[in-house]
Amino acid sequence: MNAEIIAVGSELLLGQIANTNAQFISKQLAEQGINVYYHTVVGDNPERLKNAIQVAKSRAQIIIFTGGLGPTKDDLTKETIANILNCPLKLDEEAMKQIEQFFARIKRNMSENNRKQALVLSGSTVLKNDNGMAPGMATTIDDIIYILLPGPPKEMQPMFTNYAIPYLRKELKLSEKIISRVLRFFGIGESQLETDIQDIIDKQTNPTIAPLAKEGEVTLRITAKHEDEDFALRAIQTVEEDILNRVGEFFYGYDDTSISQELMNRLKENDMTISSAESLTGGGFLQELTSISGASQVVKGGVVCYSNELKELFVNVSKETLETFGAVSEKCAKEMAENIRNQTNSDIGISFTGVAGPNSLEGQPVGKVFVGIATASSTNVHLLHLAGSRKGVRDRAIRYGMYYLLKMLES
């Protein structure tokens, strides 16, 4: 089955918001084995929407709409579809009751145009809106499935997962279980990872392997289809083991985790505390770590010491080190990591110093970065040569620091 997603809203065409709904729906459909060949975006114009629908009907068996179900005049999705399908709209009493209760709860008068939100296609399956007012709807006419969803992601996503997916599975008589597992890697490029496991990818049938590079890391989605869920899981496990035998040193976690979340988990498991001394990253390491719930259990604190003066004053980097080796040096990174650990009485001290750009510093090139990691027993300093923008260098330095910490804690 092929699906097309039509996002309705002039704000999408104007670039005021991104079309994240289509991304979410495509991902969900892929997990059901449904192909998405086209994403269409159309403004709040009935004629252009009609044209988009006619085109979609010629090439898709499932058409999913997002947006245009609200109370205002420019919310015209269901009216346009009702006209094209010759399917009248009717008031859904349950949806109307929910809308009235919402206004009563917030103690505001309901304007008459809000009744429009409770209109649904006659004969359609109403998709309950657990996080808003406008319900969604699904109907099958002339062997084409039409699904209408609200635009706000906080309303659309749970509606699609909880109600639209079960509707699709029932209509399409999908009996196979589709199980996916995402492996996350850092420190290896997408091309190198694919090269290292190319023969495994080439012989894939079921499970399938889908690589994706994103934000300095690489993921592999392994997907298996089978009526027996245990069989699918065993098949995934076999492929995973083959992959990790090749590139396991770069693997750090599963599914929707992040390298910062995994680091937080390992620090908690080991009952260890950490502090940072940051120059080029400007506090970014601690900012990312403390954005995670429970950070107070492991994070002691840190110092942003951008200037040499503050490296001496707050982190006790020796004047001799700065004059002889410079701030962008292994020696400076080592002292920063060791001294911040000692000053804060932490189990681990981490430091970042280097050149983010756009200009060189102390004769050192842009992208040269030192990451120091100090514990009670040893100190290691990692040299990086990073490419990209100033922000890119800083962000990658932070992630490399987290990756090195993870690997140290694992060993």
Side-chain angles (χ1 to χ4, degrees):
M1 298 294 289
N2 300 330
E4 179 160 347
I5 301 167
I6 299 179
V8 183
S10 298
E11 65 276 11
L12 293 164
L13 294 173
L14 294 170
Q16 294 171 344
I17 62 172
N19 188 15
T20 57
N21 283 345
Q23 179 188 29
F24 175 85
I25 294 170
S26 288
K27 181 179 178 182
Q28 297 294 314
L29 291 178
E31 292 178 357
Q32 302 302 320
I34 298 171
N35 302 312
V36 178
Y37 288 155
Y38 297 96
H39 286 181
T40 298
V41 179
V42 62
D44 301 309
N45 180 284
E47 289 304 314
R48 288 194 282 274
L49 179 54
K50 284 180 184 178
N51 292 337
I53 294 170
Q54 295 297 347
V55 172
K57 286 171 64 178
S58 70
R59 62 193 184 187
Q61 294 81 50
I62 304 168
I63 306 175
I64 300 174
F65 302 84
T66 64
L69 303 185
T72 61
K73 286 184 177 180
D74 61 355
D75 291 312
L76 44 80
T77 300
K78 58 190 169 189
E79 289 83 358
T80 305
I81 294 172
N83 180 265
I84 288 177
L85 300 180
N86 194 27
C87 180
L89 295 171
K90 69 168 188 176
L91 189 76
D92 182 74
E93 295 295 342
E94 186 62 32
M96 190 67 247
K97 181 179 177 182
Q98 184 176 342
I99 292 169
E100 290 171 344
Q101 288 175 342
F102 170 80
F103 280 98
R105 190 166 58 249
I106 64 173
K107 294 181 170 52
R108 283 175 52 193
N109 292 327
M110 185 189 80
S111 58
E112 186 61 25
N113 61 354
N114 278 285
R115 294 179 63 83
K116 176 184 172 185
Q117 295 188 92
L119 295 174
V120 299
L121 295 170
S122 182
S124 66
T125 296
V126 178
L127 308 178
K128 187 179 178 184
N129 191 336
D130 294 323
N131 299 277
M133 287 186 284
M137 60 211 82
T139 189
T140 303
I141 298 176
D142 296 331
D143 297 324
I144 296 178
I145 296 173
Y146 298 85
I147 296 178
L148 287 67
L149 304 165
K154 70 174 184 177
E155 299 178 28
M156 186 281 294
Q157 292 183 8
M159 182 186 293
F160 189 74
T161 302
N162 298 333
Y163 303 113
I165 287 293
Y167 177 88
L168 283 170
R169 290 189 64 85
K170 182 180 177 182
E171 284 292 300
L172 301 176
K173 298 178 174 60
L174 299 177
S175 59
E176 282 186 322
K177 302 288 193 304
I178 300 177
I179 310 295
S180 290
R181 181 180 299 165
V182 176
L183 311 182
R184 309 190 78 92
F185 300 86
F186 187 86
I188 184 172
E190 182 183 21
S191 59
Q192 185 60 56
L193 186 143
E194 284 195 37
T195 298
D196 290 346
I197 63 168
Q198 191 62 58
D199 60 315
I200 301 175
I201 294 175
D202 288 343
K203 68 181 182 183
Q204 64 176 316
T205 51
N206 184 23
T208 58
I209 305 169
L212 175 67
K214 182 182 179 183
E215 296 179 0
E217 61 181 66
V218 186
T219 63
L220 292 176
R221 177 182 292 274
I222 309 172
T223 303
K225 302 178 185 179
H226 203 274
E227 292 185 3
D228 184 342
E229 184 173 336
D230 288 338
F231 182 93
L233 288 169
R234 288 195 299 270
I236 289 173
Q237 186 64 34
T238 298
V239 173
E240 178 186 332
E241 289 171 0
D242 288 344
I243 290 171
L244 295 185
N245 282 337
R246 307 275 187 90
V247 290
E249 64 183 292
F250 303 104
F251 169 77
Y252 77 82
Y254 293 100
D255 299 320
D256 293 326
T257 190
S258 64
I259 199 162
S260 53
Q261 181 65 65
E262 289 302 308
L263 174 59
M264 180 67 71
N265 294 344
R266 297 294 88 74
L267 287 168
K268 287 180 180 178
E269 288 169 9
N270 287 278
D271 194 25
M272 298 184 80
T273 56
I274 188 169
S275 295
S276 70
E278 302 183 57
S279 184
L280 91 153
T281 50
F285 172 84
L286 272 194
Q287 182 182 31
E288 187 157 337
L289 208 56
T290 54
S291 68
I292 300 170
S293 176
S296 60
Q297 297 176 44
V298 300
V299 175
K300 283 287 193 74
V303 173
V304 176
C305 44
Y306 228 62
S307 69
N308 285 358
E309 179 185 2
L310 292 191
K311 288 181 178 67
E312 286 187 61
L313 184 61
F314 290 125
V315 201
N316 293 332
V317 176
S318 71
K319 191 176 188 68
E320 179 185 359
T321 292
L322 293 170
E323 291 178 349
T324 305
F325 301 97
V328 185
S329 67
E330 178 181 354
K331 188 79 163 56
C332 181
K334 181 175 184 293
E335 290 186 25
M336 288 169 65
E338 291 174 343
N339 294 346
I340 196 66
R341 189 190 79 83
N342 291 331
Q343 288 174 247
T344 57
N345 194 30
S346 297
D347 297 305
I348 302 170
I350 186 168
S351 66
F352 298 87
T353 184
V355 189
N359 302 314
S360 61
L361 178 68
E362 298 179 346
Q364 304 289 358
V366 173
K368 186 172 184 178
V369 173
F370 292 93
V371 179
I373 298 175
T375 65
S377 58
S378 65
T379 302
N380 292 301
V381 178
H382 303 271
L383 171 62
L384 297 168
H385 296 282
L386 304 175
S389 65
R390 177 179 174 82
K391 182 178 185 301
V393 168
R394 285 157 58 99
D395 289 346
R396 278 189 282 277
I398 291 167
R399 278 166 177 73
Y400 266 105
M402 292 182 172
Y403 174 73
Y404 291 139
L405 282 167
L406 263 180
K407 292 302 172 183
M408 181 196 76
L409 290 169
E410 287 174 2
S411 62

Short mmCIF file of all heavy atoms in Angstrom, two decimals, residues 3 61 182 247-248 388 402:
data_model
loop_
_atom_site.label_atom_id
_atom_site.label_comp_id
_atom_site.label_asym_id
_atom_site.label_seq_id
_atom_site.Cartn_x
_atom_site.Cartn_y
_atom_site.Cartn_z
N ALA A 3 1.05 5.43 0.48
CA ALA A 3 0.38 6.55 1.16
C ALA A 3 0.96 7.87 0.70
O ALA A 3 2.14 7.96 0.32
CB ALA A 3 0.51 6.41 2.67
N GLN A 61 -3.10 4.89 -2.30
CA GLN A 61 -4.29 4.20 -1.78
C GLN A 61 -4.67 4.69 -0.38
O GLN A 61 -5.72 4.37 0.13
CB GLN A 61 -4.05 2.69 -1.73
CG GLN A 61 -3.86 2.03 -3.08
CD GLN A 61 -2.46 2.20 -3.62
OE1 GLN A 61 -1.48 1.95 -2.93
NE2 GLN A 61 -2.35 2.64 -4.86
N VAL A 182 16.54 0.28 17.01
CA VAL A 182 17.52 1.25 16.50
C VAL A 182 18.81 1.12 17.29
O VAL A 182 18.81 1.16 18.53
CB VAL A 182 16.98 2.69 16.60
CG1 VAL A 182 18.05 3.68 16.15
CG2 VAL A 182 15.73 2.85 15.75
N VAL A 247 31.37 -3.42 14.45
CA VAL A 247 31.49 -1.99 14.80
C VAL A 247 31.01 -1.71 16.23
O VAL A 247 30.59 -0.59 16.54
CB VAL A 247 30.70 -1.11 13.79
CG1 VAL A 247 31.38 -1.11 12.43
CG2 VAL A 247 29.25 -1.60 13.65
N GLY A 248 31.06 -2.71 17.07
CA GLY A 248 30.56 -2.56 18.44
C GLY A 248 31.28 -1.51 19.27
O GLY A 248 30.70 -0.96 20.19
N GLY A 388 33.84 21.91 10.36
CA GLY A 388 32.50 22.48 10.42
C GLY A 388 32.49 23.91 10.93
O GLY A 388 33.53 24.55 11.10
N MET A 402 31.45 13.37 25.90
CA MET A 402 30.50 12.43 26.48
C MET A 402 30.81 10.99 26.04
O MET A 402 30.71 10.05 26.83
CB MET A 402 29.07 12.82 26.08
CG MET A 402 28.62 14.12 26.71
SD MET A 402 26.92 14.55 26.26
CE MET A 402 26.66 15.97 27.35
#
